[in-house]
Every structure is written in structure tokens, then in C-alpha cells.
């Protein structure tokens, strides 16, 4: 066990060095585990779904997209207006996050994970909450009217499911990073999170603090102010999901903006994952070097019908990528 | 099949790389036939690959082509779930850049103007019909789904849905000692400033065994050194998520005021100078109770890196004034943590104002300390002198603002602040903002801890130094650092002038707003004869106190700072802005 965790650390160091060479900056040194709870936490339920679940998720997504649309339509065109004001709401901006929010809430997030949802995706978020039995139909029908679903998710005015208010764009990534720091702080001081109200179950592992942001939010300087702090304080367990629809409020984004965004995050020691699949402008095909690296990092993969040699170095790389303590666990990928 | 791996994939990739975001958007909006038209139009320019590209286009129907071209990772569950699962295997911070289509699945998908667009009623009808819904079941969460019942079960069984509620509500109350710092204030108190008193109170708390001390976490945007905070930091340590490190200066036995050793149980978080980060950290830490069920008392303190050394101006009978004596260069480059000199001066509350607003909007609970404040920061100049922050404090909901003048008030108001931070919103709980000063004042000789009524008045927002009677013709009402001027003016005016100190224009005004004649402001001012004149004065915008005249209908002359300051000493600046004793006395003239 000891040897395995040393191997993991070494692997992580190698990985960090690799990235620091590529970026020309120093990536923070790997942190010794401050969260004793992590080692003892039961394994997470697998998020990756089979064909059957994928089909269900697509149905849920389509329905949530409809409900979100309907909520805005109902508020603007069906509900009587008393003041002649446009009620508003953002159908397109909500729809852009339909898959991401469905994936997160249906499969990925656990109770201890906390989310700051992109303000304009409020209808989509509440539609999903409604489908999960955490929001009422009455509130959906009163979207943007007194006591109903708020224009932008609000901790104090919506149901208690909202973890962080949003509305002033760009604050989500910062407040979630600092919330992750807060939980690290609490755990390091022996103040682990209390059991969930009404249960005796306390979170077994630290929550992931997730911000879901529009790509245009990256123009807010405070995102990068907070990134710098996340690097200095080496904040763990923060996620930022960028809804890269390449449209700001007014127009299309500058070409390849993602390269700038990604670099900024990586400079601050974040790992960056681009989920482009295939068809999108600015998607680069993997270079030879990248393919080689990917092969090195990939789990057991057959090349020309035979297993690649599992050298100790390769095993370590794999462990570092997977972040597990035991090399044997990662064989399953 | 992955698009780039099929025959013609390389050409498709090349075509896509030449396609800019706006064209991609427009084609996404127009759909299959538009993709076909554009790709076939461009194909001849692809040389050898032209035929392959054409073949690829022709193999697909319009609808298939549209699906192929808009099949982005941000709309692909396999891709997303894989990415999330992979990232979940470590605790490393991770950014996901997910390609998506704005308006995905809707008729306005991809159109660059779609941000403010709505589906027309006819489009909604068409969408409803396409989904097999009718007006009767359009709001049903699982109607018209192929596997509605199983989809419901999947959502009900979602990991995040496992617990009854994820909100912890109110955390356990933490006991706050009645006297936070027995060494601060008292009959033998020496001249000091409110900023120094704040540091001394925190230091005393740090040294105590009180449970409160273990729950306090301080944060400072790069300005901890040589202020009162050093005492707390030296005692309680600097927090790190990583390995503990000794302070090289301590190891090398080089003299330094602050011990920058980091440890995992440290209680201070050292930030860079960006004030937004301070307020956003306070926002997050102040939600510790509802998010984690554990109460924290985050204190965001900005204070200047200077030593305040008193020098008499010789004009005030009961208090002496002093400009801070600069020694700012002394401690640059103390450690890697303090590369720059700087501070959360009170004026820079405005710089972090949106973040502060955000924190208060979320009803987060923290203590923000804006110091030093006002033109009392004299030589530091107009860019660093705050004067409108009292109005910010008054106008910001979920934030209780105090501006003490004396050291013993600081500890009383900090105690009230800690109670306020953990009270339910319905009982007046909120975050707290202290506006402090580096101006050193002579302290009143009093034993505040034995005077419950006086402490209660302070917390409510105002108390009398010289109470009015039926002969009173004037009332001087002051707040904060101008205390010596107010005392001098009152002494020069004689016994017919009463002297009122306002410790919280915010608490006073909000209670008056909601409680009217039952408010503290009304109780205080109804003792003043109706034909007496109020003269209000503070080192801040006069509107923070001028409203006092409206409480019981007194004439008012409001003194304060209503224009930008400049470098000078306190004597000149107070005269220039009309808040010195002379100005107060002349304002009393009928």
C-alpha cells in the first residue's frame, strides 16, 4: 500500500513536470493528502452509462429542454401581463446546457457536491430540479413572478436546493473555488461536514465545487484573479464547466478563444479537458506527439492485437492520471 | 462512427478548420441543406480530397448531415460522462471546455441573435407536437417519453437525490465571551486607534481558550504585516492545503514582525492584493454553516502596512489627534507571500463592491474590516481616502455597519458582530462591516463592561456623551475619528450643547425605517428640545447622519466630506473639508 501510494505520487510528479515543461511554468507540487476521509470513502457510483441509460438520459434531456422552453414561453406569452413589460428568460442559453446539466445532476453529482449554475440557465436548472422532485410545478409556472422561480438561481429566494446564487457573471468560478478551499480548511481543522439533516450520514468525501459558466463569462477579470489564487493556495476539488457555445450575448466569440481560456486555467495548475467530440471549428486532430502521449496514458490497450508492455513507468503514468492509489485498480480503465 | 474516421473525414476536418464560428453558427441555424450547400460549394478547393468530401456529404441525408455537423462533445452524454468520471478520480481542480450549440434542440439553435430571442408561439406548438405532447400534459415531467417511468426512477435514484435535503440550515451557536479582550479599554486605557484596537482584540481572542477563537479565520489581501492582525497570525498560524513550512526568517533568526510559517491548522488565509478575491472568499466561508453545517467566523481585514505613532496636535482638550507615521518601506519582501505593499483601504471596498454585494445577496456571514478610512488617512491622498463607504454600508442589505471611535467600543461592537453573524436572518442576523481608522485618539476613562445599558446603546447605534436637557440649544452628533473635534467644539460651546456619538448610522437608520417611533434613533432624539439644532459631523459623506434631523423634526446642519480628498495633514484637511472644531462651532450659529 505504501509503495503504491509512493508510486502514485511519483507518477503525479512526472505528470506535473511533463505539463510544466510543455507550458514553461511551474505547476504546483503534488499535495500530500489533507483529506483523510478520501482514503476511506466508498467508491463512487460509476457515472459512465450503458446504452440503456444513455437512451434514458437523452429522453430526460429532451424533456428538460422542453420544460425550460415552456417555462419561458408560459411567462412571456401565456401568463397575463399586468404591466406590459417583457418578462424575459433565456431559452437558447438554457438549451445550450441541457446535456451538461442532465449529465451532472442525473449521474455525476453527489449530495456533497455544490454547484453555481450559469445564470441564464436558470430555467433549465429548475426544470431538472422539477423532474427530480425538488421543485414545484407552481413555481415553474410563476417563473420570474413573485415567489416563483427566480430569473437567476438564488440561494435566498429559490428553494434551498440552490447552493450558490449567480447573476453577476464570472463570480461562479471564484466562489466555488473558495468554497472548495473552505471545505479543505474545515476538514484540516477537524470540522468535517455534519451529517445531512434528518440522517446520520455525513459526506464521506469532500464535495466537488462546480461552476457552470458561459464562455463569454471568461471575459470577466475576476475569473483570472481567482485562478491565480487557486494556484497560490493549491485549491483541490474545484471544477469549472465552460459552456463553449462560441456565442456571447451579442455575437460570435473570437476564433479559438478556448485556447486562451484553456491556457489560463492550465497556467494556474488546473487540468483542462476539452469535450469537442468531432465536428466543431477549431478542433485540432491529435498530433503524433499527442497520440503517443495518449497511448502512454491509456489504460490497457491492444496494439496490433497484443497488449502493450506494462512498464513500471507506464503504470505510474496511468496511476497519476487516474489518481488512484493502487496501480492494479486502473487496469479496468 | 466518428466523423473524422470515416471516408472523407480528413477533408471534413479540413473544411471545419476553415469554417469560422459565425459561419458554423449560421449553418447550424439553417440546418442540413445549408451544410450540404456550403460543403459542396467549397469542395472544389479541396484538390484530391474534393471527391471524398462530396461523397461524404452525399452519403448523408439533410437531417443526418445536420446531426453529424452539430454532434458536439457538450451534447454527447458518453463524452461528457467519460470526462467527468475521469476527472472524478483525482481531487485536482479541473476545467471542462464543452463544445455546445446555443439553442440546442430548438428552432433557434445556432443563430447568433438567439440570446434574446424567444420561440414564437407557432414554434412552441410545433415543438410540442413533435414531442407528442398536448396542452393537457405539457407540464407533466415524464409524459410522452418512451421510457417515462424508468426515466423517473433514474432521476429519483440519482446520487445527488439521495438525501432529504442538502441545506444544513442554522449551525450550532458558538458562545461569544462577554468581554472579548479584558486588556482593551478600561479606566487606564492608553491613546490608540480603532484599527490597533481591532488587532488587539483579535490577538486577545487568539490567546484565549474560547471556542470562538477556534472558529475564527482571518483573511487579508496582502496586508497582514505590522498591523494588529500579526498578533492573531503569529498565535494561530497561516493555513496551507499543503505541507507545513517554517518561516525562513524565523529559522535564520532574522527579526520580523510576522511569523509566516504555514501549517494545516493555521487560521489565517493570505491572499493576493485583489480585493475581489477577499470578498469572494468571505462569501464562500460565510456560507460554511448552511453548506457544511459548521460555523466559521471569517474576518476579512485590510489594514495598512504602517506603524501608527502618535504626535500631538495640541488642539483637542480630551483627545489628541495624530497622523500615522509612515514606515511603509520597512517590511517589503518579508516572505514570498508579501511581494507587494498594499492594503484593503476602505475606499477599495468599492473595488470589490460587486463581490461584496454578491456575498450579501447570498446572505453569507462574515466580518469585513475597512481600514484605514476617510480623509483621516491624510498624507496618503485622495485616491486612498474613502468618504462614501458609510453610504454603501447603510444601503447594503444583509450587512450591518459599525464605525466605532474608541478602543472599548471596538470590542463591544465586534462582540455584537459575532452574535449578528450567527443569528437567523429573521432575527436581524447579517454580515458585519467595521469602518476603522488609524488616527490615534485619547481614550475615555470608563469601565464599559459594567455598564450594560451603555453597551446596548452602542450596539443599537448611538449614545450620549453629554445628554440633553430642557436648556439644550444644540446637539453635536458625530461618528468615528472626528471625536476630538466634536469634543472640542462641545467644550467651546458650553453646557447648552449636548454631545451624541453615533456608532452605527446603519443600525440606527434601518431601525428607524422599520420601527419608526419605537426605534433607538427616536428614543435618543425625542429627549432633545424641538427648537434645538443638530450639527452632525463625520469623516465621511454628510448624508450618513443628516437624516437624523428628520427623526423628530430638528433643524440640521450636516458636516462631512463630500468631495475627493488630497494629501495634507489632518489639521489642514479637516479645515479644508469643514469638519474641524472651528467648523462645528460655526455650524452651531443660528
Amino acid at each position: 500500500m505504501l509503495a503504491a501510494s509512493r508510486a502514485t505520487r511519483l507518477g503525479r510528479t512526472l505528470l506535473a513536470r511533463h505539463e510544466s515543461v510543455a507550458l514553461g511554468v511551474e505547476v504546483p507540487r503534488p499535495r500530500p493528502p489533507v483529506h483523510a476521509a478520501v482514503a476511506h470513502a466508498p467508491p463512487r457510483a460509476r457515472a459512465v452509462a450503458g446504452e440503456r441509460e444513455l437512451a434514458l438520459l437523452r429522453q430526460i434531456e429532451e424533456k428538460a429542454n422542453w420544460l425550460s422552453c415552456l417555462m419561458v414561453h408560459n411567462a412571456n406569452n401565456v401568463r397575463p401581463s399586468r404591466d406590459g413589460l417583457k418578462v424575459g428568460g433565456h431559452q437558447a442559453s438554457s438549451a445550450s446546457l441541457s446535456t451538461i446539466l442532465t449529465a451532472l445532476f442525473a449521474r455525476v453529482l453527489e449530495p456533497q457536491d455544490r454547484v453555481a449554475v450559469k445564470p441564464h440557465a436558470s430555467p433549465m436548472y429548475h426544470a431538472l430540479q422539477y423532474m427530480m422532485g425538488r421543485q414545484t410545478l407552481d413555481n415553474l409556472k410563476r417563473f420570474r413572478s413573485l415567489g416563483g422561480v427566480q430569473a437567476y438561481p438564488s440561494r435566498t429566494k429559490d428553494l434551498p436546493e440552490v447552493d450558490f446564487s449567480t447573476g453577476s457573471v464570472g463570480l461562479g468560478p471564484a466562489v466555488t473555488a473558495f468554497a472548495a478551499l473552505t471545505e479543505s480548511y474545515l476538514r484540516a481543522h477537524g470540522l468535517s461536514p455534519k451529517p445531512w439533516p434528518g440522517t446520520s450520514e455525513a459526506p464521506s468525501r469532500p464535495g466537488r465545487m462546480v461552476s457552470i459558466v458561459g464562455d463569454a463569462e471568461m471575459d470577466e477579470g475576476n475569473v483570472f484573479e481567482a485562478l491565480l489564487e487557486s494556484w497560490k493556495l493549491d485549491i483541490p476539488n474545484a471544477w469549472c464547466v465552460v459552456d463553449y457555445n462560441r456565442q456571447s450575448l451579442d455575437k460570435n466569440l473570437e476564433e479559438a478563444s478556448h485556447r486562451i481560456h484553456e491556457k489560463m486555467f492550465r497556467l494556474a495548475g488546473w487540468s483542462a479537458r476539452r469535450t469537442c467530440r468531432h465536428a466543431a471549428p477549431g478542433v485540432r486532430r491529435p498530433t503524433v506527439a499527442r497520440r503517443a502521449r495518449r497511448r502512454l496514458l491509456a489504460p490497457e490497450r491492444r496494439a496490433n492485437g497484443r497488449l502493450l508492455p506494462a512498464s513500471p513507468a507506464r503504470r505510474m503514468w496511468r496511476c497519476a492520471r487516474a489518481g488512484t492509489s493502487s496501480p492494479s485498480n486502473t487496469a479496468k480503465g | 462512427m466518428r466523423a473524422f474516421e470515416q471516408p472523407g473525414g480528413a477533408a471534413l476536418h479540413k473544411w471545419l478548420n476553415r469554417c469560422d464560428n459565425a459561419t458554423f453558427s449560421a449553418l447550424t441555424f439553417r440546418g442540413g441543406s445549408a451544410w450540404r450547400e456550403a460543403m459542396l460549394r467549397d469542395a472544389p478547393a479541396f484538390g484530391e480530397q474534393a471527391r471524398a468530401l462530396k461523397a461524404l456529404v452525399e452519403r448523408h441525408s439533410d437531417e443526418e448531415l445536420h446531426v453529424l455537423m452539430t454532434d458536439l462533445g457538450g451534447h454527447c452524454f458518453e463524452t461528457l460522462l467519460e470526462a467527468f468520471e475521469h476527472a472524478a478520480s483525482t481531487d485536482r481542480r479541473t476545467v471542462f471546455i464543452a463544445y455546445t450549440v446555443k439553442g440546442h434542440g430548438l428552432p433557434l439553435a445556432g443563430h447568433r441573435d438567439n440570446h434574446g430571442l424567444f420561440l414564437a408561439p407557432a414554434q412552441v406548438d410545433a415543438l410540442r407536437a413533435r414531442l407528442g405532447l398536448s396542452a393537457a400534459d405539457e407540464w407533466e415531467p415524464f409524459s410522452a417519453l418512451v421510457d417515462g417511468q424508468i426515466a423517473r426512477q433514474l432521476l429519483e435514484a440519482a446520487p445527488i437525490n439521495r438525501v432529504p435535503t442538502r441545506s444544513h440550515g442554522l449551525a450550532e451557536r458558538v458562545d461569544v465571551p462577554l468581554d472579548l479582550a479584558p486588556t482593551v479599554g478600561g479606566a487606564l486605557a492608553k491613546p490608540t486607534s480603532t484599527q490597533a484596537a481591532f488587532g488587539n482584540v483579535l490577538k486577545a481572542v487568539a490567546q484565549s481558550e474560547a471556542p470562538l477563537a477556534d472558529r475564527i479565520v482571518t483573511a487579508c489581501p496582502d496586508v497582514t504585516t505590522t498591523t494588529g492582525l500579526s498578533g492573531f497570525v503569529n498565535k494561530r498560524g497561516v493555513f496551507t492545503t499543503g505541507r507545513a513550512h517554517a518561516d525562513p526568517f524565523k529559522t535564520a533568526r532574522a527579526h520580523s514582525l510576522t511569523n509566516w510559517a504555514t501549517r494545516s491548522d493555521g487560521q489565517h488565509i493570505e491572499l493576493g492584493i485583489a480585493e475581489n478575491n477577499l470578498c469572494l472568499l468571505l462569501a464562500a466561508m460565510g456560507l460554511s454553516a448552511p453548506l457544511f453545517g459548521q460555523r466559521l467566523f471569517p474576518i476579512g481585514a485590510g489594514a495598512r502596512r504602517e506603524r501608527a505613532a502618535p504626535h500631538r496636535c495640541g488642539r483637542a482638550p480630551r483627545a489628541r489627534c495624530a497622523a500615522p507615521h509612515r514606515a511603509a518601506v520597512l517590511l517589503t519582501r518579508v516572505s514570498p507571500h508579501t511581494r507587494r505593499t498594499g492594503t484593503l483601504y476602505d475606499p477599495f471596498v468599492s473595488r470589490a463592491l460587486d463581490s461584496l454585494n454578491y456575498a450579501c445577496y447570498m446572505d453569507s456571514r462574515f466580518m469585513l474590516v475597512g481600514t484605514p478610512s476617510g480623509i483621516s488617512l491624510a498624507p496618503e491622498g485622495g485616491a486612498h481616502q474613502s468618504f462614501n463607504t458609510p453610504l454603501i454600508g447603510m444601503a447594503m442589505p444583509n450587512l450591518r455597519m459599525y464605525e466605532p471611535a474608541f478602543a472599548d467600543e471596538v470590542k463591544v461592537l465586534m462582540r455584537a458582530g459575532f452574535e449578528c453573524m450567527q443569528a437567523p436572518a429573521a432575527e436581524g442576523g447579517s454580515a458585519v462591516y467595521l469602518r476603522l481608522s488609524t488616527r490615534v485618539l485619547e481614550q475615555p476613562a470608563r469601565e464599559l463592561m459594567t455598564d450594560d445599558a451603555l453597551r446596548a446603546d452602542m450596539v443599537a447605534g448611538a449614545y450620549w456623551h453629554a445628554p440633553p436637557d430642557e436648556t439644550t440649544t444644540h446637539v453635536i452628533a458625530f461618528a468615528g475619528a472626528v471625536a476630538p473635534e466634536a469634543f472640542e467644539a462641545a467644550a467651546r460651546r458650553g453646557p447648552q450643547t449636548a454631545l451624541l456619538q453615533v456608532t452605527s448610522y446603519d443600525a440606527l437608520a434601518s431601525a428607524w425605517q422599520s420601527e419608526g417611533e419605537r426605534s433607538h434613533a427616536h428614543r435618543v432624539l425625542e429627549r432633545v428640545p424641538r427648537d434645538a439644532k443638530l450639527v452632525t459631523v463625520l469623516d465621511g459623506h454628510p448624508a450618513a447622519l443628516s437624516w437624523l434631523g428628520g427623526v423628530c423634526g430638528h433643524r440640521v446642519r450636516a458636516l462631512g466630506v463630500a468631495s475627493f480628498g488630497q494629501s495634507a495633514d489632518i489639521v489642514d484637511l479637516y479645515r479644508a473639508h469643514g469638519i474641524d472644531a472651528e467648523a462645528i462651532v460655526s455650524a452651531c450659529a443660528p
Side-chain angles (χ1 to χ4, degrees):
Chain A
M1 188 61 202
L2 182 68
S5 63
R6 279 183 59 198
T8 309
R9 279 211 298 279
L10 193 57
R12 277 190 188 162
T13 316
L14 279 172
L15 191 65
R17 276 199 200 139
H18 169 85
E19 290 185 358
S20 67
V21 169
L23 291 167
V25 294
E26 192 186 340
V27 167
R29 279 183 298 173
R31 187 168 8 86
V34 279
H35 312 309
V38 182
H40 308 297
R44 288 182 202 276
R46 292 209 60 190
V48 172
E51 273 308 319
R52 179 93 181 111
E53 282 111 335
L54 288 173
L56 287 172
L57 289 173
R58 288 187 201 109
Q59 291 178 38
I60 292 169
E61 178 202 0
E62 195 170 52
K63 179 61 100 173
N65 204 357
W66 160 254
L67 285 169
S68 143
C69 245
L70 181 61
M71 201 185 309
V72 177
H73 171 70
N74 178 70
N76 284 279
N77 299 327
V78 180
R79 208 165 62 205
S81 166
R82 297 188 299 183
D83 53 10
L85 275 186
K86 174 185 129 177
V87 181
H90 300 84
Q91 289 170 326
S93 200
S94 274
S96 154
L97 273 171
S98 58
T99 332
I100 291 167
L101 285 179
T102 308
L104 283 172
F105 280 93
R107 297 287 299 181
V108 178
L109 296 176
E110 298 176 349
Q112 71 275 15
D113 301 332
R114 302 285 182 172
V115 193
V117 178
K118 181 179 89 164
H120 287 149
S122 173
M124 178 61 65
Y125 166 76
H126 285 287
L128 269 170
Q129 295 300 314
Y130 169 59
M131 293 179 74
M132 298 181 85
R134 303 257 169 184
Q135 180 57 284
T136 66
L137 177 58
D138 187 46
N139 281 347
L140 297 199
K141 287 185 173 172
R142 288 188 295 134
F143 172 59
R144 291 193 172 216
S145 76
L146 192 68
V149 164
Q150 295 295 301
Y152 308 119
S154 165
R155 267 192 65 78
T156 51
K157 301 291 195 299
D158 277 317
L159 295 177
E161 295 307 314
V162 178
D163 298 319
F164 302 103
S165 303
T166 49
S168 183
V169 298
L171 300 184
V175 81
T176 45
F178 288 129
L181 180 71
T182 304
E183 185 166 1
S184 296
Y185 179 92
L186 287 172
R187 287 181 180 269
H189 287 75
L191 302 170
S192 291
K194 288 278 168 66
W196 299 111
T199 74
S200 55
E201 181 203 339
S204 55
R205 57 166 69 82
R208 289 164 296 193
M209 302 298 153
V210 186
S211 61
I212 298 162
V213 298
D215 43 12
E217 291 191 52
M218 293 291 132
D219 284 341
E220 291 286 0
N222 79 274
V223 173
F224 301 105
E225 290 179 14
L227 281 187
L228 209 53
E229 220 54 70
S230 78
W231 168 71
K232 287 191 229 168
L233 299 166
D234 197 9
I235 298 175
N237 292 313
W239 280 10
C240 177
V241 184
V242 181
D243 177 15
Y244 191 61
N245 58 30
R246 301 165 310 291
Q247 273 184 253
S248 59
L249 272 62
D250 276 344
K251 59 171 189 59
N252 290 106
L253 235 56
E254 285 64 27
E255 304 301 319
S257 305
H258 66 89
R259 293 196 192 159
I260 301 289
H261 302 159
E262 201 175 308
K263 275 183 185 153
M264 294 232 188
F265 274 91
R266 289 170 79 97
L267 279 168
W270 291 58
S271 59
R273 302 188 64 85
R274 217 181 322 148
T275 58
C276 38
R277 211 170 182 209
H278 29 82
V283 175
R284 279 182 298 169
R285 297 181 84 194
T287 59
V288 175
R290 280 191 191 183
R291 278 202 295 269
R293 182 162 167 258
R294 195 173 289 172
R295 209 159 34 237
L296 181 67
L297 297 174
E300 305 296 324
R301 175 181 290 180
R302 285 170 188 276
N304 302 328
R306 64 186 175 83
L307 274 176
L308 286 168
S311 67
R314 197 175 152 258
R315 284 159 65 90
M316 277 191 281
W317 278 86
R318 250 195 276 130
C319 297
R321 286 290 285 200
T324 50
S325 56
S326 159
S328 60
N329 286 348
T330 57
K332 296 189 265 321
Chain B
M1 191 181 210
R2 297 177 80 88
F4 299 149
E5 288 163 13
Q6 56 179 295
L12 174 66
H13 184 260
K14 196 168 163 189
W15 184 84
L16 269 168
N17 264 357
R18 290 181 184 182
C19 174
D20 58 62
N21 285 341
T23 311
F24 189 88
S25 271
L27 294 175
T28 305
F29 176 68
R30 289 179 53 209
S33 61
W35 291 110
R36 182 180 306 278
E37 187 189 316
M39 289 163 83
L40 291 179
R41 187 191 59 219
D42 296 346
F46 280 67
E48 296 168 3
Q49 293 174 323
R51 190 181 295 173
L53 184 61
K54 270 187 182 168
L56 183 141
V57 171
E58 278 155 12
R59 260 202 320 278
H60 292 81
S61 71
D62 276 1
E63 199 173 323
E64 286 166 355
L65 197 59
H66 185 63
V67 169
L68 177 79
M69 299 308 290
T70 56
D71 181 14
L72 304 182
H75 295 300
C76 167
F77 280 108
E78 296 102 306
T79 310
L80 285 171
L81 291 174
E82 254 174 50
F84 290 138
E85 177 144 309
H86 196 165
S89 57
T90 84
D91 67 357
R92 191 164 169 199
R93 51 190 182 275
T94 305
V95 61
F96 304 86
I97 297 185
Y99 278 71
T100 53
V101 171
K102 194 156 171 172
H104 170 70
L106 305 178
L108 37 72
H111 197 292
R112 72 169 171 208
D113 300 338
N114 65 12
H115 187 82
L117 289 184
F118 299 105
L119 262 62
Q123 288 175 313
V124 174
D125 293 341
L127 187 60
R128 186 189 291 114
R130 181 161 74 73
L131 297 173
L133 294 165
S134 68
D137 64 354
E138 61 179 7
W139 287 102
E140 289 302 311
F142 297 96
S143 57
L145 295 188
V146 183
D147 307 299
Q149 212 38 46
I150 315 174
R152 181 196 294 271
Q153 285 163 9
L154 183 130
L155 280 185
E156 277 170 3
I160 196 171
N161 227 358
R162 206 175 62 226
V163 296
T165 175
R166 297 165 59 243
S167 176
H168 286 280
L170 289 173
E172 279 166 42
R173 210 184 144 277
V174 175
D175 192 47
V176 184
L178 188 64
D179 190 351
L180 288 177
T183 50
V184 171
L188 303 172
K190 290 179 181 150
T192 186
S193 69
T194 48
Q195 176 180 299
F198 163 75
N200 288 334
V201 172
L202 264 192
K203 186 176 169 186
V205 173
Q207 288 165 342
S208 76
E209 300 285 312
L212 171 74
D214 298 332
R215 300 276 177 158
I216 288 179
V217 47
T218 58
C220 197
D222 201 9
V223 286
T224 307
T225 319
T226 66
T227 69
L229 262 193
S230 285
F232 184 86
V233 174
N234 289 343
K235 182 72 188 166
R236 295 277 169 163
V238 178
F239 174 67
T240 175
T241 54
R243 290 191 182 85
H245 283 290
D247 183 344
F249 258 66
K250 295 287 167 195
T251 345
R253 294 188 189 170
H255 177 68
S256 161
L257 291 177
T258 310
N259 184 355
W260 286 110
T262 61
R263 45 196 234 215
S264 63
D265 66 345
Q267 285 179 241
H268 174 76
I269 294 174
E270 182 70 6
L271 294 169
I273 200 166
E275 289 83 6
N276 264 306
N277 281 334
L278 175 71
C279 282
L280 289 164
L281 174 68
L282 293 177
M285 292 211 136
L287 292 177
S288 178
L291 292 185
F292 306 111
Q294 296 282 10
R295 171 78 54 199
L296 283 181
F297 295 90
I299 303 180
R304 69 197 306 194
R305 184 177 305 195
E306 288 174 0
R307 276 186 188 155
H311 46 110
R312 287 169 181 277
C313 77
R315 298 183 65 218
R318 284 194 56 189
R320 60 185 180 179
C321 90
H325 173 73
R326 296 209 57 180
V329 207
L330 178 67
L331 282 150
T332 49
R333 297 195 175 272
V334 174
S335 84
H337 292 277
T338 55
R339 290 197 183 95
R340 288 169 290 177
T341 55
T343 176
L344 176 77
Y345 286 72
D346 192 51
F348 299 140
V349 166
S350 308
R351 181 153 185 170
L353 191 53
D354 186 45
S355 303
L356 178 64
N357 184 76
Y358 176 61
C360 294
Y361 179 65
M362 290 200 287
D363 194 22
S364 175
R365 303 301 179 81
F366 52 87
M367 185 180 280
L368 178 68
V369 184
T371 181
S373 60
I375 58 169
S376 305
L377 183 56
E380 200 66 15
H384 285 178
Q385 294 164 350
S386 68
F387 64 94
N388 52 18
T389 45
L391 301 183
I392 291 175
M394 288 174 81
M396 183 72 77
N398 298 347
L399 185 72
R400 169 59 40 88
M401 181 172 188
Y402 291 112
E403 181 167 350
F406 302 112
D408 53 359
E409 289 167 6
V410 173
K411 70 175 176 179
V412 169
L413 297 176
M414 281 177 75
R415 184 187 186 282
F418 289 133
E419 292 290 11
C420 190
M421 285 159 76
Q422 51 181 338
E427 291 168 25
S430 70
V432 177
Y433 171 18
L434 300 180
R435 186 174 188 252
L436 305 182
S437 170
T438 39
R439 191 183 185 198
V440 175
L441 306 183
E442 206 153 282
Q443 301 295 309
R446 61 187 174 193
E447 289 297 344
L448 203 47
M449 299 321 294
T450 57
D451 194 340
D452 295 350
L454 184 54
R455 287 203 313 277
D457 285 351
M458 260 174 208
V459 173
Y463 69 95
W464 290 105
H465 284 284
D469 55 29
E470 60 279 7
T471 65
T472 298
T473 57
H474 291 85
V475 173
I476 296 172
F478 76 95
V482 294
E485 284 67 28
F487 276 100
E488 185 188 336
R492 278 164 59 180
R493 290 282 315 169
Q496 286 182 322
T497 298
L499 185 60
L500 179 73
Q501 183 184 346
V502 175
T503 46
S504 174
Y505 23 78
D506 176 31
L508 217 50
S510 60
W512 180 53
Q513 187 71 26
S514 59
E515 296 163 24
E517 294 191 355
R518 289 178 291 111
S519 66
H520 186 63
H522 195 272
R523 273 199 304 274
V524 165
L525 289 170
E526 70 182 351
R527 296 170 63 184
V528 180
R530 277 296 303 277
D531 54 354
K533 181 181 181 185
L534 298 189
V535 174
T536 65
V537 58
L538 78 159
D539 180 358
H541 198 281
L545 292 179
S546 60
W547 60 274
L548 285 173
V551 175
C552 293
H554 292 102
R555 280 180 303 145
V556 146
R557 176 83 174 87
L559 308 180
V561 183
S563 57
F564 289 112
Q566 58 187 308
S567 292
D569 66 6
I570 284 186
V571 179
D572 280 345
L573 274 181
Y574 278 19
R575 189 188 304 125
H577 288 272
I579 57 171
D580 60 356
E582 198 60 53
I584 301 171
V585 169
S586 15
C588 290

